[in-house]
Amino acid sequence: MDVTVFGGTGKIGRLVVRRLLDEGHRVTALVRSPEKLALESDRLEVIVAQLDDEPAIRKAVDGADAVISALGPAVDPFLRSGPLTAAMRTIVAAMHEAGVRRLVALSTVSVPDPRDRPSLVERLVPAGIGFLIPGALEEVQGMAEAVTTSDLDWTLARMFAPIDIPSNGTLRAGFLGRDDVGTPMARTDVAAFLVDQLTDDRFVGAAPAISN
């Protein structure tokens, strides 16, 4: 498949690009700092651009079979909200223009899914995040809205707090309060889940929470 990746220089994004290449896919990655990608392949095209560069986003999406977004805001209490949400809206518009239907995007459990039956603690998570890092919460929720209202074949993978631990071969996905979904999540497995959705339609139009 030809897959376009946004956020490919982040901790999870680099793992996504590497896994795609390992599986034989052709990858186009739009990045701001190509030196952070640290990957080379004859099946990897790197487009260096800012996320507000609409022509570059359209170029990156054109000809793709699917798009994966590993974009996420910095954990910064002084973060200004808006740029990532605007970028996601541009990505969605570019996909419609290019006729690309499949969108897999990364998010967090601070974004609800109507199938959730959250506990009190889980309901308090967005409030806590909004108090500590309001700009980040606005970006996460804004990107999620752009994805879930896109009229594309989307999947929004919601994670808790991913950490750098080895994969244990166990991956759970479902909805809060209804399925056996825990908290720990290896970044390698987050990346694997995103890539696996390219050939799995169980969660099209849904926002599953994922954990090990």
Side-chain angles (χ1 to χ4, degrees):
M1 295 180 69
D2 290 303
V3 184
T4 299
V5 177
F6 294 93
T9 58
K11 291 182 178 180
I12 292 173
R14 286 195 298 270
L15 295 170
V16 168
V17 174
R18 182 178 294 116
R19 187 175 183 91
L20 287 167
L21 293 173
D22 288 346
E23 293 188 1
H25 299 289
R26 293 175 295 276
V27 180
T28 299
L30 186 144
V31 301
R32 289 170 288 185
S33 304
E35 68 279 1
K36 293 182 179 179
L37 191 55
L39 290 170
E40 293 185 3
S41 171
D42 58 3
R43 286 179 285 103
L44 172 62
E45 178 185 359
V46 178
I47 297 176
V48 181
Q50 299 293 320
L51 286 170
D52 61 355
D53 189 335
E54 294 186 16
I57 289 176
R58 288 197 297 270
K59 178 182 176 182
V61 169
D62 189 39
D65 296 306
V67 171
I68 295 178
S69 169
L71 293 171
V75 181
D76 181 351
F78 303 106
L79 178 70
R80 178 176 62 87
S81 64
L84 294 183
T85 298
M88 185 59 73
R89 290 172 180 156
T90 302
I91 291 167
V92 167
M95 291 179 66
H96 279 291
E97 182 178 318
V100 182
R101 295 291 309 167
R102 190 68 172 112
L103 172 60
V104 181
L106 189 61
S107 191
T108 73
V109 293
S110 59
V111 173
D113 183 280
R115 282 151 284 209
D116 288 338
R117 299 293 182 268
S119 66
L120 175 60
V121 172
E122 290 165 340
R123 287 197 296 269
L124 291 175
V125 167
I129 294 175
F131 177 75
L132 295 171
I133 43 174
L137 179 63
E138 288 182 25
E139 284 281 50
V140 168
Q141 293 179 335
M143 286 191 293
E145 181 181 14
V147 170
T148 59
T149 61
S150 66
D151 196 31
L152 296 170
D153 298 329
W154 58 269
T155 297
L156 197 67
R158 297 179 296 156
M159 59 182 181
F160 287 85
I163 52 179
D164 289 319
I165 57 174
S167 171
N168 64 9
T170 301
L171 180 63
R172 292 177 286 173
F175 302 98
L176 301 181
R178 293 180 52 180
D179 299 299
D180 185 20
V181 182
T183 301
M185 191 75 203
R187 285 190 171 94
T188 53
D189 289 325
V190 175
F193 183 84
L194 295 176
V195 173
D196 288 349
Q197 299 318 294
L198 298 178
T199 54
D200 188 343
D201 61 3
R202 288 179 301 161
F203 294 114
V204 171
I210 56 177
S211 72
N212 290 123

